[in-house]
Amino acid sequence: MRAPIGDFDHATPAPECLDQLTGPVADAVRHWQGAVPAEQIVYVDTRPEWADTSVFLEHYGQELLEQSANCVVVAGKRGGEATLAACVVLSGTRVDVNGAVRRQLGARKASFAPMDTATGETGMEYGGITPIGLPGDWPVLVDSAVVDLPYVLVGSGRRRGKLLVPGKAFAELPNAVVLEGLGV
């Protein structure tokens, strides 16, 4: 199969390669619901040492910057309570943690979660965290620019491989909230 975006050697509908995904991501694909069929989520095999955005673009093409998103884990704190959430923004932007995230979570303070918290709570590898397969009670904050794209390249749960996901599918994720200006 040919990938809907980018030029990758191997592209496979995600339901056909669940063994390439981490447990939580494979479970989410296996039990996928929504208007976008799971078969439209495509797994592309990529080298793990090229997982970080700048290096990835060097090897797979700068044009993917406009079609890729990062998923980061944040922690909002208020009154001794912490809320973990995921933020999905285009790779060329950064998450407005102290503005949009803090307000949306109703937190006094918000910050990026430590790496061991992000990986431990998601069951995913650092550098490959994806919004597909996150803990069911987490808010998933998605920048509206991500939802507007026909396809978006995002992590697969591992440093090896990426998912190509129709943008509108991000709005259908459990606990998804689409926000204007989340990525600045």
Side-chain angles (χ1 to χ4, degrees):
M1 135 177 234
R2 180 154 172 70
I5 59 173
D7 186 24
F8 299 97
D9 292 334
H10 304 285
T12 309
E16 294 177 19
C17 59
L18 297 175
D19 60 326
Q20 298 296 314
L21 307 171
T22 61
V25 178
D27 286 344
V29 170
R30 191 177 292 113
H31 302 294
W32 187 261
Q33 297 179 9
V36 175
E39 293 74 20
Q40 288 185 16
I41 300 170
V42 177
Y43 174 80
V44 292
D45 190 33
T46 60
R47 295 179 63 166
E49 63 270 21
W50 297 345
D52 297 323
T53 303
S54 60
V55 178
F56 186 88
L57 295 173
E58 249 178 66
H59 293 280
Y60 292 103
Q62 291 294 324
E63 70 281 358
L64 288 171
L65 179 63
E66 302 298 319
Q67 300 169 307
S68 65
N70 291 325
C71 179
V72 297
V73 177
V74 296
K77 297 176 185 164
R78 182 176 197 89
E81 293 290 317
T83 301
L84 292 174
C87 298
V88 184
V89 298
L90 294 178
S91 295
T93 65
R94 58 182 168 72
V95 177
D96 183 12
V97 175
N98 290 309
V101 173
R102 190 181 53 75
R103 283 189 302 274
Q104 185 63 37
L105 297 180
R108 289 197 69 204
K109 182 181 178 190
S111 59
F112 295 104
M115 179 175 56
D116 59 332
T117 299
T119 57
E121 295 291 325
T122 63
M124 299 178 199
E125 295 176 5
Y126 190 75
I129 293 176
T130 184
I132 297 172
L134 292 171
D137 59 341
W138 282 23
V140 179
L141 311 180
V142 183
D143 190 276
S144 60
V146 172
V147 176
D148 291 341
L149 290 174
Y151 265 90
V152 180
L153 180 134
V154 71
S156 68
R158 299 174 56 209
R159 288 185 65 83
R160 174 174 211 115
K162 299 284 186 184
L163 295 176
L164 306 178
V165 182
K168 61 187 174 187
F170 292 99
E172 297 180 351
L173 291 170
N175 298 320
V177 178
V178 178
L179 298 173
E180 191 78 33
L182 177 64
V184 292

